[in-house]
Amino acid sequence: MKQFLITMAGVFAGLVIFVIGVPVLLVMMAASAARPEPLPAQAVLELDLRNGLTDQDAQNPLISLGRRSMSVMSVIESLRRAETDGRVKGVLVRLPETGIAPASADELRLALKRFRAAGKPVIAHSQGIYPAGVVTSTYMLGSAADEFWMQPAASLQVTGLATEDVFLKRAFDKYGIEADFEQRQEYKNAVNQYLYSDYTPEHREAQLSWMGSIYRSAVVTAALDRKKDPAALQKALEAGPYLAEEAQRQGLIDKVGQVREAEKALLAKAGDAAKLVDFEDYLHQGRRRNETGQAIAVVEGEGPIVTGENGVGNPLTGGSTIYADEIADAIYEAVEDDDVKAIVLRVNSPGGSDTASEQIAAAVRAAKAAKKPVVVSMGTYAASGGYWIATEASSIIAQPTTLTGSIGVYGGKLALGPALERFGIDLRQTSVGGAYADAYSLGQGFGPEDEAAFGRWMDQIYENFVARVATGRKLPVERVREIARGRVWTGAQARELGLVDEVGGFYQAVEKAKALAGLEGDVRLKRMSPQASPFEALEQLLGVSAASARTLAAAAWLMGDPRAEAVLDEIARARMAQGRALVLSPTPVR
């Protein structure tokens, strides 16, 4: 009877997915195939950043279904196309009310500055900037426009940068949970929330260091664009908060007005017949393509780094993952493509599995051995495992506010046995083989022998990471140990330490790749990033629902049960956690 109910639940879930998913998929495919409306002869693009940006386009087309979202990469590519598009006369940027990831803001600023250099105006409009996230980056991006507008009586609260972390040590002590983790080294603070009730001196030092670097970078850049003294601008900002009218009097913005007024002002500059066009519509009109001739391959990866290929977890949930099989295969494919002369690897990742990271690094080495230079372009993060995969690139280019480094490793477990005993739940283990076989049981912490064995293993992984950096960056091993120790650096700091080669954005990486490959003139970009087709995405969705237990969870998820979504998410998390060492850094900016 039980098996019959499970089978019927699976059939029911499959029918729901078929009846709902297939029509939606067909509509989505039809919409994507539909010819977009022609762009008017005089157009002003409205770039709305209030819904947030990913660094890269979603690998799975079902993820973005029903959402209005864009990626930094697609926006800067479309702005590059708009520079020479005679129909596009200007851009209106709608700023978010909260923070923008600093490196994303840096990348967008470079694109807007190029657009302006082509003789096309940019107006930024804000309905207020409030203290949530890295708001200095939002202000910096607004300052890159020809005119920075704010809505009347809107608030400008750009007085600094703050973060807040939750520490669980006292709660764990109260309920009998033992956090048994090891870190290599003292700055590898991703699990400090489990181990302590406050910042360690090293944690605080590192946190204030990268925060200060990001803050200074945003203020200095905004001052440059607004033609102000950096110290004077910082003093004025920190004296806030202000309403828009006072911010204008202080010279922090240019004009006060409703967004409709800003639109009219930009349309007037564009010409009497100019029309406002949604930037996303322009983006989806497609990229210019030249399918012949020499090319630079672009391979993109965003999210935590794991082994295998896409196919684990719920394909309808958000979030991106770097699957080592897929990224490595894309690099090998570029190596075998005779038209491809160099590769730009775009990385936006806080890290993940050491073995997955090494698999991708091996593909980078293979490309270099085939005389195809690899240039890494770093997004918001390229830290820990994200830095591991970049170590042996021909050149590394990061934004000044990219978070990178974090050369270290951590691992361990939460021992839940004593906590569960309080609720009448007993964990008991049986094992065969060596003494280490049950080291990761949740019933108790590591014993002395297990702890020693675990520590030796962690040391080996750390030394492998250090050696990889020393080899790739041509640095003495002892020097790497000095600057490693798990510490996060900004791109500007990493440049001074020799961990990256240049400070800049994606198109600077493209130019570097051209130079290293000895290419001249126009060179096409050939995107070779892993990308599921709509049919593959649907097949993946149906595959996830096939197993009986996961079918029940998927059916419940479709009915709106949040517990089932948690089950599916936990499957993916458990895959990374148990018995693994993670070269993963915290992700404290947004």
Side-chain angles (χ1 to χ4, degrees), residues 377-511:
S377 169
M378 293 182 168
T380 299
Y381 303 100
S384 208
Y387 186 72
W388 187 312
I389 67 179
T391 50
E392 295 191 67
S394 309
S395 184
I396 302 175
I397 297 179
Q399 290 289 1
T401 56
T402 295
L403 293 186
T404 188
S406 192
I407 302 165
V409 61
Y410 74 86
K413 64 178 181 177
L414 292 176
L416 304 177
L420 294 176
E421 288 174 4
R422 301 183 184 190
F423 299 94
I425 301 172
D426 299 307
L427 292 177
R428 299 289 184 263
Q429 296 81 35
T430 56
S431 66
V432 296
Y436 197 71
D438 65 350
Y440 295 101
S441 65
L442 299 180
Q444 67 282 322
F446 291 124
E449 292 183 1
D450 290 342
E451 186 173 3
F454 182 75
R456 288 193 298 271
W457 177 56
M458 296 282 288
D459 289 337
Q460 292 168 353
I461 294 171
Y462 176 69
E463 290 301 323
N464 286 343
F465 200 166
V466 168
R468 182 68 60 231
V469 175
T471 300
R473 301 304 302 166
K474 297 179 173 60
L475 293 170
V477 169
E478 289 306 317
R479 174 57 179 157
V480 176
R481 286 200 184 97
E482 290 175 7
I483 61 179
R485 313 196 70 80
R487 183 161 177 171
V488 174
W489 307 98
T490 63
Q493 293 169 328
R495 171 67 183 85
E496 296 299 319
L497 294 168
L499 295 179
V500 305
D501 297 293
E502 298 178 25
V503 170
F506 171 74
Y507 283 105
Q508 283 83 349
V510 171
E511 292 302 316

Side-chain angles (χ1 to χ4, degrees), residues 27-229:
V27 169
M28 180 180 69
M29 294 175 63
S32 64
R35 183 173 298 174
E37 288 188 21
L39 196 71
Q42 294 172 300
V44 169
L45 305 181
E46 184 173 19
L47 174 58
D48 193 340
L49 301 177
R50 294 173 298 172
N51 291 326
L53 295 174
T54 57
D55 185 70
Q56 301 158 24
D57 290 340
Q59 297 175 7
N60 188 329
L62 293 181
I63 289 176
S64 57
L65 184 63
R67 305 178 186 177
R68 290 185 63 82
S69 62
M70 296 176 286
S71 71
V72 171
M73 293 293 288
S74 63
V75 168
I76 65 171
E77 182 180 13
S78 297
L79 282 171
R80 179 64 67 106
R81 176 161 51 98
E83 290 175 20
T84 56
D85 190 335
R87 300 166 298 174
V88 177
K89 305 299 182 182
V91 170
L92 175 69
V93 180
R94 304 289 302 276
L95 296 171
E97 296 180 23
T98 55
I100 299 176
S104 296
D106 286 335
E107 195 81 65
L108 294 171
R109 172 186 173 271
L110 291 175
L112 292 177
K113 297 287 282 187
R114 276 189 56 97
F115 185 84
R116 289 179 58 192
K120 300 185 178 186
V122 176
I123 289 179
H125 187 274
S126 170
Q127 292 179 282
I129 303 178
Y130 300 91
V134 188
V135 293
T136 47
S137 296
T138 303
Y139 178 78
M140 179 204 71
L141 185 58
S143 298
D146 292 280
E147 296 177 1
F148 191 163
W149 290 51
M150 288 196 77
Q151 182 172 303
S155 295
L156 179 68
Q157 300 188 37
V158 186
T159 57
L161 173 59
T163 63
E164 190 169 52
D165 295 292
V166 175
F167 292 90
L168 303 173
K169 177 65 164 60
R170 291 198 304 120
F172 282 3
D173 290 344
K174 180 178 179 179
Y175 293 103
I177 299 173
E178 180 182 349
D180 213 341
F181 289 90
E182 291 199 19
Q183 303 152 286
R184 301 290 186 276
Q185 297 288 345
E186 68 271 21
Y187 290 99
K188 194 70 177 179
N189 54 46
V191 291
N192 278 12
Q193 67 185 101
Y194 302 147
L195 302 176
Y196 305 103
S197 58
D198 198 353
Y199 297 104
T200 64
E202 295 81 7
H203 190 172
R204 187 180 298 276
E205 175 192 352
Q207 196 106 324
L208 290 174
S209 176
W210 68 253
M211 289 171 64
S213 180
I214 286 174
Y215 182 56
R216 287 189 298 273
S217 177
V219 171
V220 169
T221 303
L224 176 67
D225 289 341
R226 294 196 62 77
K227 298 179 174 59
K228 289 184 174 293
D229 175 69

Side-chain angles (χ1 to χ4, degrees), residues 227-268:
K227 298 179 174 59
K228 289 184 174 293
D229 175 69
L233 178 62
Q234 180 174 333
K235 183 178 179 180
L237 288 171
E238 291 178 359
Y242 303 104
L243 293 184
E245 292 77 7
E246 179 61 22
Q248 184 184 24
R249 287 191 289 270
Q250 294 284 341
L252 301 176
I253 64 170
D254 299 303
K255 294 187 179 181
V256 176
Q258 297 289 345
V259 66
R260 182 64 174 167
E261 298 173 80
E263 291 172 352
K264 288 181 177 179
L266 195 49
L267 288 169

